[in-house]
Amino acid sequence: MPLSPVPLLSALALLAPLTFLDPGFEQGGQGWEFGPGTGVATNYPHGGSRLIYLDAGAGRKVAQTLTATERGSYDVSAWIATGGPNGRYVARVNGTERAALTLPAASNYRRYTLSRIALVPGDRLEIAFESGDGWVNADDLMLSPAAPADPRVSSSDPKIVEMFDWSKRKANSWVHLPGTPGPLNVDENRTGGTGTGTYGPSYWAGYANRSGYYSRDMAHQLAGAGVLGLSAENKAMLRSFAATATAQHKYYPVWALNFDNGTPLAIDYRSPTNFVREVPAPFELVQKAEEAYRWSGDRSYLDDPVLWDFYRHTTGEFVDLHNGLKDNGTVKVAEGTGGGIFQGTASYNEQSGEPLAEAGDAIGSQYQAYLAMASLARAKGDCELADAHERRAKDLKTYYNTVWSGSGSGADMVRGYTTDGRALTGWGKENSWFMPMKQIIDPGARREAYLDYIDREASGPGRPDNIEALTYLPDTFFTNNRNDTAWKWMKEVYDRKDVQHVNAKQGTNGDYPEVSFTLLGQTVRGLMGVTPDAPARTLTTQSRLPSGMDWLKIDDLRVGDSGFSLRHDGATRSTLANTAGSATYSWEARFPGRHNRITVNGVPRPARTKVVDGVTYTYTTTAVAPGRTATVRVG
């Protein structure tokens, strides 16, 4: 069933201000200039059926020149493979070199990006590939608008600076320039796709050899996109999924959409009753919509009927329609069919082969969706609806901890039920680590033992082969204040970025978009403990710096229409500067533990404490006006 882009997104899909001719070389290199020893070939394409090549030796060049029609800043990415070092990938503006990369020897395709090239109307941008000591192959160029935010990290630990800088540039390279024409339904079986469409506001979220974004990936990348200020892309993508969660689909959103923000990616969609669907996904999208609202302050998250109906249906009719295989008493738990992904699976763990009716990642995601619905309803002024969903969340969490999860701990904790009612324990990957990540497990010794178990299994024989699975582990441990373990997993993911992905057609691990986006989110929400609330003009922070990281600072942190600088010195001192925008923000500075003394800019304040998810914090709240700075210290 073809789905059309919703009207809002069609209106946004204007003609792109800058467009390559034949970026994948499928038209034989139309618009490109070829020097001697270069040309178009068919022997080793990255995508489609053609590529460009440069023979080894000095002086060979392939280039295209574009003329800018608007002021803007752009990233230009290309997939490149080389038979030797010292080839070059270059951007020149009006004949002057603005960005360049010297290419290493790497015979497998990797994605390279020239970042933040500023242009004004009339500027002539030349993108060139130049020869080196070995052959050079290039394919599949992409123009991206430079992100609205340009956050910068500094620290006593050079590792996080290097990691954040790489992640920022890599994540931004996956953002589409709205109005760009591009292929639809590209996958490993249809490398040329099934036609072309006009791309809307979006970023890559899924395999780099497919022309679409996935609900699961997008949900996990949303926080990192928020750090880059990609509010328009987050909203357009969330809304496009929401529009597909129809009664005909039994209120499941489609699993993946093309970059036109409307048509299902064909590899995952065969008919309204035969498409990939996984129970955690709709719940995660509701949770992430609430997070996007808090990042951006955009009231359309409350007022847009497409989005609002999606929240209501997901936390209402969707649960009712998918609740019948297992008797959960008065509590409703959304279920899968026990079949494969095209029949509706209960878990994100697609490799287990278990006939799951209910799974830990699904019930944990359902719990967070109820909380998100309550938050959104309260923001909209519907206190009755908010109260109802808070009760549902409380009842579901109580049922999970007293009945559903059993009485065991660690390897003996229940993490799913089969269609014939059998309880499953042991290691379930996603349906194990999502439970503490979604905070459905009550705080205490049982949760701590389960976190130890997850770390042991993920570090040992139960380690997932795919890098995108590992990207959840920092979130799991930061959420539960296991700072050193979370940082360990951030470094593990980053240090494997140049390793070939288990899906060879995907490229390296670092060219899986989820890697860069999640590392950005984990730096800001994890290490720096930032919880934004742009509608309420509130910012909450807590230091989660690991052992050995003495201080960490971020500049150009965007929340709504405001910008901030935030620095943590250990776990006892935090400094916030309100650097951009016109709004005064209320800053809640939290510090783990119970402290007798707290000061703001050296002036003592009453030391207040609160318990959040089992953790005691000392905190204070202070107003930070535009252009002002506040420093809070405990101890």
Side-chain angles (χ1 to χ4, degrees):
M1 179 190 73
L3 299 174
S4 299
V6 292
L8 171 64
L9 305 186
S10 296
L12 289 172
L14 305 174
L15 183 66
L18 205 63
T19 304
F20 276 116
L21 292 175
D22 198 12
F25 309 103
E26 298 306 299
Q27 282 73 54
Q30 177 184 355
W32 292 87
E33 299 175 5
F34 294 87
T38 70
V40 176
T42 60
N43 61 315
Y44 184 34
H46 170 262
S49 58
R50 292 181 174 88
L51 67 144
I52 58 166
Y53 70 88
L54 295 82
D55 290 335
R60 311 190 192 283
K61 177 179 173 181
V62 177
Q64 183 173 151
T65 300
L66 309 177
T67 300
T69 59
E70 295 181 9
R71 179 182 297 272
S73 185
Y74 301 91
D75 288 6
V76 186
S77 303
W79 291 89
I80 305 173
T82 59
N86 296 319
R88 298 182 81 230
Y89 176 38
V90 186
R92 297 182 179 91
V93 178
N94 302 326
T96 300
E97 189 172 294
R98 286 284 182 85
L101 293 172
T102 299
L103 304 169
S107 59
N108 293 326
Y109 276 103
R110 297 183 181 183
R111 197 164 185 269
Y112 297 88
T113 300
L114 304 172
S115 299
R116 290 195 170 267
I117 303 165
L119 302 174
V120 298
D123 277 348
R124 291 175 56 79
L125 169 66
E126 179 195 54
I127 299 298
F129 302 94
E130 299 175 350
S131 57
D133 299 344
W135 51 264
V136 176
N137 290 348
D139 202 356
D140 294 333
L141 279 83
M142 177 176 164
L143 269 166
S144 301
D150 185 21
R152 299 170 300 281
V153 154
S154 53
S155 177
S156 60
D157 188 339
K159 183 77 169 185
I160 185 58
V161 178
E162 173 192 318
M163 184 188 298
F164 190 86
D165 185 58
W166 175 86
S167 300
K168 177 180 68 172
R169 288 182 288 106
K170 178 63 76 171
N172 192 85
S173 77
W174 296 112
V175 181
H176 285 289
L177 184 62
T180 299
L184 303 177
N185 298 317
V186 175
D187 58 52
E188 50 270 33
N189 303 315
R190 287 173 292 228
T191 57
T194 61
T196 60
T198 302
Y199 289 176
S202 58
Y203 48 80
W204 228 288
Y207 284 140
N209 62 317
R210 296 181 182 179
S211 62
Y213 51 88
Y214 282 73
S215 54
R216 170 182 174 168
D217 295 70
M218 186 265 166
H220 201 205
Q221 293 175 211
L222 181 138
V227 171
L228 292 177
L230 300 175
S231 298
E233 288 78 6
N234 277 342
K235 185 170 69 173
M237 294 164 76
L238 283 166
R239 192 178 192 276
S240 66
F241 281 120
T244 70
T246 61
Q248 188 179 32
H249 289 150
K250 295 187 177 179
Y251 297 109
Y252 269 110
V254 301
W255 187 235
L257 288 162
N258 280 294
F259 295 121
D260 63 359
N261 293 132
T263 56
L265 195 64
I267 192 172
D268 297 297
Y269 190 93
R270 299 167 185 168
S271 77
T273 58
N274 190 14
F275 63 99
V276 176
R277 47 206 190 273
E278 303 184 6
V279 174
F283 293 130
E284 280 217 286
L285 292 175
V286 174
Q287 179 190 359
K288 297 304 175 176
E290 193 271 344
E291 289 182 14
Y293 171 58
R294 300 298 172 186
W295 270 111
S296 67
D298 185 346
R299 215 189 138 76
S300 60
Y301 281 103
L302 307 179
D303 297 336
D304 187 325
V306 171
L307 288 168
W308 191 256
D309 286 348
F310 172 66
Y311 313 149
R312 290 293 306 269
H313 291 319
T314 300
T315 55
E317 291 96 330
F318 177 81
V319 178
D320 295 337
L321 285 169
H322 304 282
N323 170 43
L325 293 174
K326 180 181 179 295
D327 183 5
N328 294 296
T330 59
V331 174
K332 297 177 181 179
V333 178
E335 298 168 340
T337 63
I341 57 176
F342 277 87
Q343 288 73 50
T345 180
S347 175
Y348 280 154
N349 185 355
E350 299 173 354
Q351 309 302 321
S352 72
E354 298 165 330
L356 288 169
E358 297 177 6
D361 47 344
I363 195 171
S365 298
Q366 183 176 337
Y367 168 68
Q368 283 295 331
Y370 283 159
L371 291 177
M373 181 73 251
S375 172
L376 291 163
R378 202 167 297 285
K380 195 176 175 70
D382 192 337
C383 295
E384 183 178 353
L385 183 64
D387 290 344
H389 281 84
E390 285 175 354
R391 286 193 299 271
R392 290 180 186 178
K394 181 179 179 181
D395 291 346
L396 185 63
K397 186 172 186 177
T398 299
Y399 172 69
Y400 168 87
N401 284 283
T402 57
V403 178
W404 195 96
S405 61
S407 58
S409 181
D412 296 325
M413 184 183 290
V414 173
R415 43 92 181 170
Y417 289 87
T418 62
T419 53
D420 60 3
R422 288 183 294 114
L424 297 178
T425 57
W427 181 232
K429 297 181 181 176
E430 284 89 341
N431 53 65
S432 288
W433 64 65
F434 262 59
M435 293 189 289
M437 188 180 78
K438 297 297 186 182
Q439 296 179 290
I440 197 170
I441 306 177
D442 281 337
R446 189 169 182 243
R447 186 172 72 184
E448 297 305 312
Y450 201 65
L451 288 164
D452 291 339
Y453 171 68
I454 290 169
D455 188 40
R456 286 196 304 271
E457 288 297 316
S459 302
R463 179 190 182 90
D465 295 326
N466 54 326
I467 194 70
E468 60 271 27
L470 295 180
T471 63
Y472 287 99
L473 293 173
D475 297 303
T476 298
F477 291 104
F478 276 131
T479 298
N480 292 280
N481 292 300
R482 296 283 194 100
N483 305 336
D484 287 356
T485 306
W487 176 231
K488 177 190 78 172
W489 284 110
M490 283 183 72
K491 291 187 291 185
E492 173 72 13
V493 168
Y494 178 71
D495 289 343
R496 294 181 60 81
K497 71 182 189 305
D498 295 323
V499 175
Q500 192 71 17
H501 191 273
V502 291
N503 174 0
K505 294 181 182 296
Q506 151 64 37
T508 63
N509 286 333
D511 284 326
Y512 198 108
E514 201 166 350
V515 170
S516 53
F517 277 92
T518 54
L519 289 172
L520 289 178
Q522 288 153 2
T523 301
V524 174
R525 291 184 64 88
L527 287 167
M528 304 213 74
V530 171
T531 302
D533 191 350
R537 302 290 190 266
T538 297
L539 190 64
T540 301
T541 68
Q542 70 173 91
S543 170
R544 293 198 187 102
L545 302 191
S547 302
M549 189 180 293
D550 297 330
W551 62 272
L552 177 61
K553 182 185 181 187
I554 185 168
D555 292 299
D556 198 21
L557 172 65
R558 302 287 183 91
V559 179
D561 296 327
S562 295
F564 299 92
S565 170
L566 173 66
R567 172 171 169 149
H568 293 312
D569 289 272
T572 59
R573 174 176 169 166
S574 298
T575 300
L576 182 73
N578 189 335
T579 56
S582 58
T584 295
Y585 264 67
S586 176
W587 175 31
E588 182 178 305
R590 293 180 184 173
F591 301 88
R594 192 178 298 274
H595 300 273
N596 294 325
R597 186 171 184 268
I598 189 166
T599 61
V600 177
N601 294 331
V603 178
R605 290 275 187 93
R608 294 185 289 172
T609 61
K610 64 167 63 174
V611 177
V612 181
D613 196 35
V615 178
T616 298
Y617 296 95
T618 300
Y619 75 99
T620 192
T621 301
T622 190
V624 185
R628 304 301 295 271
T629 299
T631 297
V632 180
R633 181 185 298 211
V634 295

